[in-house]
Amino acid sequence: MHPAFAFLAHRWRSKSRHGLHSPFIYSLVDQCVYAHAPAVDARVERHFSALKRDARLLKGMDHGQGKETIRSVADYAKTSAMPDVQAELLHRLAAYLKPMKALELGTNLGKSLSYMATGFSKGSFVGVEGNPALADHASDSLKILGIENANITCNRFDEVLKDASLHYDWVFLDGDHAYEPTMRYFLKLKERMAVGGVMIFHDIYHSPGMERAWTEIKKDRDVQVTLDLFFFGLVWLGLPQAKEDFSIRFPRSLFGLL
């Protein structure tokens, strides 16, 4: 399904927070998804907004496509970096859920990582980026912004997930938007999630493959609760409640996308 049609279909079938029978999800939607606070640090907003005018070229490797790339910082900032409304939600989610050990797969310029890490300064956030040029640039952004509770490693996702000793209570997946790699990462991460931890999948309607992966993830026997926000799919394992899937309108008003 074309993303535009998928979005309209999601708006039609999804709900607002009213009528939710799960106290956990109701509170999350009411106090976090539909809230306006806490606001993102203006320095962080200004920094990533300014990157849209940065003409410097970054030469690196796109492991997803298996080829070298040369693109300007501005091009990445305009076409690959997360839109503000989505990054702001990640900031609020981090502030609300308070993850102590968080992992991001697909850091790009570091915008989403910076928004998450500043959402909960007591947590430890690690971003993984396979493109060395992007990883270096994102690391520089963390230093410029003085974000000390996040760091970046340049590596392939599968290599990072080989270490079975690492466990997380928050994982944000924003890379390889295709069925096979998404399912592979999900199955590996299931074994590394703390009880009650959340996995957040970006762009779950990006392609037919991503939609198929999202459908299978929701049916997985170890998944207790899912929350479909169209742009994000949130997954919890081991919550003390009956298995349930929720689909919520986000943003609450279409004007929130402007």
Side-chain angles (χ1 to χ4, degrees), residues 21-87:
H21 300 296
S22 165
F24 171 72
I25 294 297
Y26 179 90
S27 296
L28 177 70
V29 174
D30 184 58
Q31 300 173 29
C32 176
V33 176
Y34 287 167
H36 298 291
V40 179
D41 188 319
R43 288 179 62 248
V44 176
E45 292 182 320
R46 287 195 300 268
H47 175 81
F48 288 100
S49 179
L51 295 186
K52 296 177 182 178
R53 302 183 296 276
D54 191 331
R56 285 177 296 169
L57 295 177
L58 300 180
K59 181 178 180 181
M61 172 61 72
D62 186 329
H63 292 290
Q65 298 184 21
K67 63 180 183 180
E68 285 191 344
T69 60
I70 301 178
R71 294 172 59 186
S72 69
V73 173
D75 186 33
Y76 280 111
K78 292 175 183 177
T79 63
S80 302
M82 181 174 291
D84 289 348
V85 65
Q86 297 176 35

Side-chain angles (χ1 to χ4, degrees), residues 73-179:
V73 173
D75 186 33
Y76 280 111
K78 292 175 183 177
T79 63
S80 302
M82 181 174 291
D84 289 348
V85 65
Q86 297 176 35
E88 289 163 3
L89 175 58
L90 283 180
H91 179 82
R92 297 196 302 274
L93 283 168
Y96 184 85
L97 295 172
K98 297 178 172 52
M100 295 306 300
K101 193 169 183 58
L103 174 71
E104 177 185 59
L105 298 179
T107 294
N108 199 265
L109 290 174
K111 181 176 181 178
S112 53
L113 183 67
S114 297
Y115 275 60
M116 291 186 294
T118 54
F120 186 56
S121 60
K122 294 182 180 179
S124 174
F125 292 78
V126 176
V128 181
E129 174 54 53
N131 185 325
L134 282 172
D136 289 343
H137 193 281
S139 294
D140 289 342
S141 288
L142 295 179
K143 294 175 184 176
I144 291 169
L145 294 168
I147 299 174
E148 298 181 348
N149 64 319
N151 62 80
I152 295 165
T153 180
C154 183
N155 207 341
R156 292 174 179 263
F157 300 168
D158 286 306
E159 289 299 315
V160 172
L161 296 179
K162 281 182 179 179
D163 190 346
S165 67
L166 297 177
H167 290 78
Y168 308 96
D169 54 1
W170 168 296
V171 176
F172 178 57
L173 296 96
D174 189 18
D176 285 345
H177 294 95
Y179 171 79

